[in-house]
Amino acid sequence: MTDSHPLAAAPENADAPPYAARLNLPQREAVLTTEGPVLMLAGAGTGKTAALTARLAHLVATRRAWPSEILCVTFTNKAAREMRERVGHLIGDAVEGMPWLGTFHSICARMLRRHAELVGLQSNYTIIDTDDQLRLLKALIREAEIDEKRWPPRQLAGLIDRWKNRGLNPDDLDEVENETYANGQGQRMYRVYQDRLKGLNACDFGDLLLHMLNIFRQHRDVLEQYQARFKYVLVDEYQDTNAVQYLWLRLLAQERKNICVVGDDDQSIYSWRGAEVANILRFEKDFPGAKVVRLEQNYRSTPQILAAASGLIASNSQRLGKTLWTELPQGQKVRVIGVWDAPEEARRVGEEIERIEREGASLEQVAILVRAQYQTREFEDRFIQIGMNYRIIGGFRFYERAEIRDALAYLRVIAQPQDDLAFERIYNQPKRGLGAKTLEKMHQHARRREMPLAAAALELADSDELPARARNTIGDLMRLFYNWREMAEAVTPSDLLRAVLEESGYDDMLKADRSAESAGRADNLVELARAMEEYETLGDFLEHVSLVMDNDASDEEEKVTIMTMHAAKGLEFDNVFLPGWEEGVFPSQRSLDEGGLASLEEERRLAYVAITRARRRCTILHAANRRIFGQWNSSIPSRFIDELPDEHVESETTMTGGRSLWQANWTESEDPFAHLSESRPERSSARGPGWQRALATGYETKQKRVPEPGRSAASFAAKPRTDIATVARVFHEKFGYGEVIGQEGNKLEIEFDKAGTKRVIDSFVKAAD
């Protein structure tokens, strides 16, 4: 090293440099062990970020490497920024010379710019986002004449992402992988997609790593260039690496073997996005002679909380093992509270929060961590009732989620057909082939006739103004609304919603979408139906939702945090509430069904993460009953509760429900649709010949004329223009010139010069010049 090094004056091989003086002995050992592979096994709250940044500073301060000779990889941009800021405080301006401190994707993108031609790209390649990817895949699926409804683009996108996370190119897929899409067309579609990306000089996020892995494997000179450049490799959150990240890192570090990885096998909770806990478990095998430094002193939680969490995670077999301890005061035991049902669970949590708030606790230091997003709805409703401020982290409020808004829009149109905003949201959701031009046509006609959008759509469906396919689609949708509006008078709001989701095709849309998010969206809709069971009428429920949506405390006010356990990783709160600890909810039945023992161990790691978010108090709740699809389901406490050490747990059960489980089942088991099939004809005839029109659109005609029995409900109008019939020649923007040969209400039958005979609405024609 020359004297021009920015920290040349720093003491070399100092036993206790300033940046390590405040570290405990294991942390200092991890910092000062610079040569050879190091596994920093850092338990929750043990100061791993402080140790990692101090190690980075030490490598620069002791002149073991220039800042540009250190590769430091994080998982998020936020973590990279925090790392850069911390190192900057320790070593000053030298941090500006660290171009290889960042996320996996940002670092690989930089590398790929230099070597793009080796994978058939130019250096100015474009990185496409998810929307662009889905549009491209949709086009390719159509070109391949694959049924898009059965094999949707989002499913193919998920498969391709999974293959890339595993480091698999199209030629690497085996027969089983190939069969996972379109009956053996997975490999071909993957190859066509990759070829099309290259033709566009583009890549997706998965390509950034996969392309660099391919370059390292196929071009030894490039790999050796980077192996020589990086004297030290540091990796944060190593337990969250997937296969392609692992393979990329292993190639880079194999030559010098100066790699330090920081992670916690007990906090590996992201297998659903490709993370493999095996990567950290086999680190010592990949790098023989690796030094393992265990960071076990916890600076966050009380001994009672740590002991409970440690006792729970000890049931996992796939772990390296460590024992967390702390010098903090003993604190309270973990509380386990049994309640009757989900509403009581929310009430109890609300009462507990109000109590600790009276004791002086800040709402900012209170968190409710749930296993699934649908669980938040009960707490949101309860907090609205008692006036408690809250925020949703890592997602939308329950009633703001897209699938919930879609469902509510259907219900709003049923209850209030003049709700144009709601109708516009769902007229083509799920996709029905009604595009922007159709919507524009509906808006134009609605403005001309001064009628609601749904009524305008129905009139257009009974004319030749729209293509036949669009007319039929709108007609089918209006018939559904007619049925639902009639059904709303006879069934509960929750049963109405279930019928809407099924008959509209919304349920089928979610089933066809095999992405990881789809299952959660379906769960949210199940919870919405459950919420509606508490309301006698659809109007009552929609009014409640309006009040909930209107509640929005200012950013300056303290708020309770509600979030999923996954989103809470890395965070901490004084008071943590963990509801829903029942078999099937947590551990998740879906996870157990799909992953067996491996998934059970990951669910247990998730429980460990959830408990260790608490600094002072941790409260676990489980309900004896949960209501799903209108039926009470008896629940048993989660197996994780039994695995908590008795000496660190305080149990309490409060069962205040008013009905027995048998009574609930008996009451709700009646078929609410049983009496409808025979009674509809009698009710229909009693209402008069115009009743279908009102049910279908909710819009009463201003004419006294009513449609003939058996005619479409679309044959009504609001403002007829009968004067146009007295004009012999008319002009239509789409069909051209023609002769009026007949009229029915506001419908004109016209013999057009070039388009033949058409039925059109009078407002769409004008007298010919």
Side-chain angles (χ1 to χ4, degrees):
M1 290 288 178
T2 66
D3 291 340
S4 62
H5 191 283
L7 291 175
E12 187 172 0
N13 296 322
D15 291 332
Y19 44 78
R22 297 181 63 184
L23 302 179
N24 60 39
L25 290 178
Q27 287 175 322
R28 191 176 303 173
E29 182 182 15
V31 169
L32 302 180
T33 305
T34 58
E35 306 308 304
V38 176
L39 169 58
M40 199 187 305
L41 197 60
T46 57
K48 58 100 174 174
T49 303
L52 185 61
T53 52
R55 179 183 174 88
L56 193 57
H58 181 64
L59 293 174
V60 175
T62 57
R63 297 177 293 177
R64 285 176 167 79
W66 290 91
S68 61
E69 295 175 325
I70 301 173
L71 172 65
C72 183
V73 188
T74 66
F75 267 85
T76 65
N77 290 316
K78 179 182 177 182
R81 287 193 300 269
E82 181 182 355
M83 184 79 66
R84 189 175 294 276
E85 290 172 1
R86 287 197 179 198
V87 174
H89 289 312
L90 297 177
I91 64 174
D93 293 340
V95 72
E96 299 303 323
M98 301 189 71
W100 301 104
L101 190 165
T103 65
F104 280 98
H105 289 98
S106 65
I107 290 171
C108 282
R110 181 173 182 173
M111 289 181 173
L112 189 58
R113 295 287 178 194
R114 300 181 177 186
H115 309 286
E117 73 282 354
L118 297 179
V119 289
L121 297 172
Q122 301 173 33
S123 60
N124 62 341
Y125 65 83
T126 300
I127 304 173
I128 65 172
D129 59 20
T130 301
D131 289 340
D132 288 335
Q133 181 189 33
L134 291 175
R135 279 197 294 270
L136 176 56
L137 289 173
K138 185 174 184 177
L140 296 177
I141 289 170
R142 287 179 176 175
E143 290 175 15
E145 297 182 347
I146 294 173
D147 184 354
E148 182 183 337
K149 292 184 178 179
R150 184 176 181 188
W151 305 101
R154 193 173 296 277
Q155 179 190 356
L156 182 56
L159 287 170
I160 290 175
D161 185 59
R162 188 181 76 186
W163 292 329
K164 291 182 178 181
N165 285 341
R166 293 165 58 192
L168 299 177
N169 295 288
D171 291 340
D172 299 324
L173 300 187
D174 58 24
E175 186 175 344
V176 174
E177 294 290 351
N178 186 37
E179 289 291 333
T180 55
Y181 184 77
N183 301 320
Q185 298 192 65
Q187 185 179 57
R188 181 172 72 88
M189 294 303 298
Y190 184 10
R191 183 179 291 111
V192 169
Y193 172 68
Q194 292 299 95
D195 290 342
R196 186 64 61 90
L197 283 177
K198 290 180 181 179
L200 297 170
N201 191 34
C203 63
D204 59 27
F205 283 97
D207 282 326
L208 297 175
L209 277 146
L210 183 61
H211 282 330
M212 283 312 305
L213 178 62
N214 289 335
I215 290 172
F216 285 169
R217 284 171 164 173
Q218 298 165 14
H219 301 273
R220 184 73 188 178
D221 59 323
V222 178
L223 174 61
E224 290 175 349
Q225 172 188 336
Y226 285 102
Q227 287 176 335
R229 170 185 290 273
F230 299 131
K231 293 184 177 180
Y232 295 93
V233 177
L234 289 77
V235 188
D236 193 15
E237 303 288 4
Y238 190 67
Q239 80 280 349
D240 292 333
T241 54
N242 59 32
V244 70
Q245 293 163 342
Y246 161 79
L247 294 169
W248 179 79
L249 285 167
R250 194 175 66 174
L251 283 173
L252 282 171
Q254 275 300 330
E255 184 65 24
R256 296 180 182 270
K257 294 183 171 57
N258 287 335
I259 180 172
C260 174
V261 302
V262 184
D264 183 5
D265 53 320
D266 290 336
Q267 296 189 72
S268 179
I269 57 174
Y270 297 118
S271 67
W272 48 274
R273 65 185 189 198
E276 295 187 11
V277 68
N279 293 345
I280 193 171
L281 297 177
R282 66 185 174 210
F283 182 80
E284 292 177 88
K285 182 179 180 180
D286 290 334
F287 297 95
K291 185 176 186 62
V292 179
V293 180
R294 286 176 165 80
L295 304 187
E296 298 176 312
Q297 183 175 359
N298 180 282
Y299 295 94
R300 175 190 300 159
S301 306
T302 64
Q304 295 280 19
I305 292 172
L306 290 182
S310 297
L312 170 66
I313 200 63
S315 297
N316 270 9
S317 59
Q318 297 297 312
R319 60 189 300 260
L320 297 171
K322 58 189 168 300
T323 303
L324 297 184
W325 61 276
T326 182
E327 294 179 342
L328 295 174
Q330 191 73 1
Q332 299 180 8
K333 293 182 178 181
V334 173
R335 298 177 69 196
V336 176
I337 300 177
V339 296
W340 172 254
D341 56 13
E344 184 179 346
E345 184 178 60
R347 287 195 300 271
R348 183 62 188 270
V349 170
E351 291 169 359
E352 290 290 325
I353 294 174
E354 288 178 320
R355 179 180 62 80
I356 62 176
E357 187 181 21
R358 288 194 297 271
E359 295 173 357
S362 167
L363 292 184
E364 293 293 316
Q365 286 301 322
V366 179
I368 300 171
L369 309 183
V370 298
R371 175 61 182 88
Q373 286 189 337
Y374 72 83
Q375 292 175 260
T376 68
R377 201 278 310 168
E378 204 77 61
F379 295 98
E380 292 185 65
D381 281 1
R382 180 59 184 170
F383 291 171
I384 292 297
Q385 292 176 11
I386 64 177
M388 182 173 291
N389 298 327
Y390 69 93
R391 66 168 66 88
I392 302 291
I393 300 294
F396 297 101
R397 292 172 181 244
F398 183 82
Y399 293 108
E400 293 174 350
R401 291 166 184 148
E403 62 277 8
I404 301 300
R405 283 187 175 273
D406 289 343
L408 292 176
Y410 273 104
L411 297 174
R412 284 165 54 189
V413 174
I414 293 171
Q416 179 56 271
Q418 288 84 3
D419 192 333
D420 286 357
L421 292 177
F423 184 77
E424 183 173 341
R425 182 182 181 92
I426 51 82
Y427 83 101
N428 197 37
Q429 180 70 348
K431 301 298 182 184
R432 299 185 174 92
L434 301 175
K437 291 184 179 179
T438 301
L439 179 61
E440 182 181 359
K441 206 82 169 177
M442 289 190 292
H443 273 297
Q444 289 174 351
H445 187 58
R447 286 193 297 269
R448 288 192 189 101
R449 303 282 287 147
E450 298 181 12
M451 60 170 51
L453 201 58
L458 198 53
E459 282 204 355
L460 289 174
D462 197 36
S463 75
D464 291 322
E465 302 294 342
L466 297 175
R469 181 179 177 183
R471 294 200 304 270
N472 293 335
T473 300
I474 292 174
D476 290 342
L477 180 61
M478 291 297 101
R479 278 187 286 275
L480 286 174
F481 273 110
Y482 151 68
N483 290 334
W484 296 331
R485 199 160 284 119
E486 183 185 43
M487 185 183 296
E489 302 179 8
V491 303
T492 65
S494 58
D495 285 329
L496 174 64
L497 172 63
R498 294 178 185 116
V500 168
L501 294 175
E502 178 182 355
E503 295 171 10
S504 67
Y506 206 96
D507 281 343
D508 290 338
M509 178 188 72
L510 292 182
K511 291 174 183 176
D513 179 1
R514 304 184 188 181
S515 64
E517 296 81 10
S518 179
R521 296 176 66 194
D523 287 340
N524 289 338
L525 290 172
V526 170
E527 179 59 21
L528 178 63
R530 222 283 315 151
M532 295 177 69
E533 292 169 0
E534 302 173 14
Y535 298 87
E536 292 186 4
T537 69
L538 180 58
D540 290 343
F541 174 72
L542 291 175
E543 180 179 341
H544 164 75
V545 172
S546 297
L547 295 174
V548 171
M549 296 285 282
D550 188 53
N551 180 80
D552 189 15
S554 67
D555 291 337
E556 290 74 24
E557 296 184 57
E558 292 185 355
K559 301 174 185 177
V560 176
T561 297
I562 306 176
M563 64 200 309
T564 64
M565 296 175 182
H566 282 99
K569 187 173 180 293
L571 303 179
E572 56 188 52
F573 303 88
D574 284 347
N575 303 279
V576 171
F577 293 88
L578 306 175
W581 280 43
E582 301 124 35
E583 287 294 306
V585 178
F586 190 47
S588 160
Q589 191 60 50
R590 182 182 294 117
S591 294
L592 299 184
D593 291 343
E594 295 176 356
L597 181 59
S599 289
L600 174 60
E601 295 216 341
E602 178 158 329
E603 290 284 287
R604 189 177 285 112
R605 292 194 291 270
L606 187 57
Y608 171 83
V609 167
I611 293 174
T612 55
R613 299 311 93 195
R615 285 195 289 249
R616 299 291 174 262
R617 300 184 186 93
C618 179
T619 303
I620 296 170
L621 299 99
H622 61 93
N625 309 286
R626 286 204 186 265
R627 203 174 185 186
I628 301 175
F629 288 117
Q631 298 289 328
W632 284 100
N633 289 270
S634 178
S635 302
I636 61 174
S638 169
R639 68 191 74 189
F640 299 152
I641 292 177
D642 290 336
E643 294 169 358
L644 297 170
D646 291 340
E647 61 270 26
H648 301 291
V649 173
E650 179 181 286
S651 297
E652 174 187 344
T653 301
T654 59
M655 298 296 181
T656 60
R659 293 191 301 170
S660 70
L661 181 60
W662 178 84
Q663 286 176 317
N665 275 321
W666 181 83
T667 304
E668 299 296 331
S669 63
E670 297 177 0
D671 179 6
F673 295 95
H675 63 288
L676 294 182
S677 58
E678 296 301 324
S679 59
R680 282 183 179 171
E682 286 75 11
R683 291 205 307 272
S684 299
S685 60
R687 297 183 185 184
W691 71 277
Q692 289 184 333
R693 155 188 342 113
L695 275 174
T697 67
Y699 185 73
E700 292 290 354
T701 176
K702 296 179 183 178
Q703 299 184 86
K704 295 183 179 180
R705 183 191 61 80
V706 296
E708 299 170 9
R711 288 192 60 85
S712 165
S715 58
F716 80 97
K719 281 192 174 182
R721 290 173 50 194
T722 55
D723 59 315
I724 197 69
T726 65
V727 179
R729 291 281 287 176
V730 294
F731 176 78
H732 188 281
E733 289 184 359
K734 178 178 179 181
F735 302 127
Y737 290 95
E739 300 277 347
V740 178
I741 60 176
Q743 179 187 20
E744 180 184 346
N746 68 322
K747 305 293 191 308
L748 302 178
E749 190 172 359
I750 302 174
E751 181 70 34
F752 288 99
D753 297 347
K754 296 181 179 180
T757 302
K758 302 287 184 181
R759 278 166 40 87
V760 301
I761 299 169
D762 57 6
S763 61
F764 279 85
V765 299
K766 62 182 180 179
D769 296 333

